[in-house]
Amino acid sequence: MILIVLIIVFSGFFIGAIVILLNILGDKKRNKKQKSLVINYFEDEELDRFKNKSGNSYTQSEVEEFKKVLQSLPNEKIKNWLESLEVREVVLPDEIKTLLFK
């Protein structure tokens, strides 16, 4: 009987610990997601109109808009710009990807 009581008590503590751990992990995930939703613009707000557009469907004049922004950035800011586009769900034109990742 005492053994059954101990098992019930310890299993309650165990389940409580798991619930607390899951809450902590969930909070960390939420905080990480909220951090990533901070959008930094690089004088490129006009690119938001390309949200979710396929990388191979840009016209040449649209590609030029991306090139103009890219050329205005110092090299150390390019990574931040790419992260900003990703958070904004703006897909790079394939031509720009080729330039950056060759």
Side-chain angles (χ1 to χ4, degrees), residues 49-55 57-59 62 89-92:
R49 73 182 191 277
F50 300 125
K51 181 177 179 174
N52 294 320
K53 185 169 182 167
S54 171
S57 64
Y58 288 98
T59 66
E62 291 170 340
E89 299 179 36
V90 176
V91 177
L92 282 175

Side-chain angles (χ1 to χ4, degrees), residues 25-89:
L25 292 174
D27 287 343
K28 284 184 179 181
K29 255 187 184 175
R30 256 191 308 282
N31 289 340
K32 187 176 182 181
K33 188 173 184 179
Q34 287 171 344
K35 268 186 190 175
S36 69
L37 293 180
V38 174
I39 298 175
N40 295 314
Y41 284 94
F42 295 83
E43 297 183 26
D44 66 343
E45 294 84 358
E46 70 278 1
L47 299 179
D48 284 348
R49 73 182 191 277
F50 300 125
K51 181 177 179 174
N52 294 320
K53 185 169 182 167
S54 171
N56 63 0
S57 64
Y58 288 98
T59 66
Q60 194 56 43
S61 66
E62 291 170 340
V63 171
E64 292 302 320
E65 290 182 57
F66 282 87
K67 281 184 182 177
K68 183 179 174 185
V69 175
L70 180 59
Q71 291 168 348
S72 73
L73 297 173
N75 286 339
E76 62 273 6
K77 293 289 182 181
I78 292 174
K79 180 181 179 220
N80 300 103
W81 179 60
L82 295 174
E83 289 170 352
S84 171
L85 292 174
E86 183 177 359
V87 170
R88 292 154 49 196
E89 299 179 36

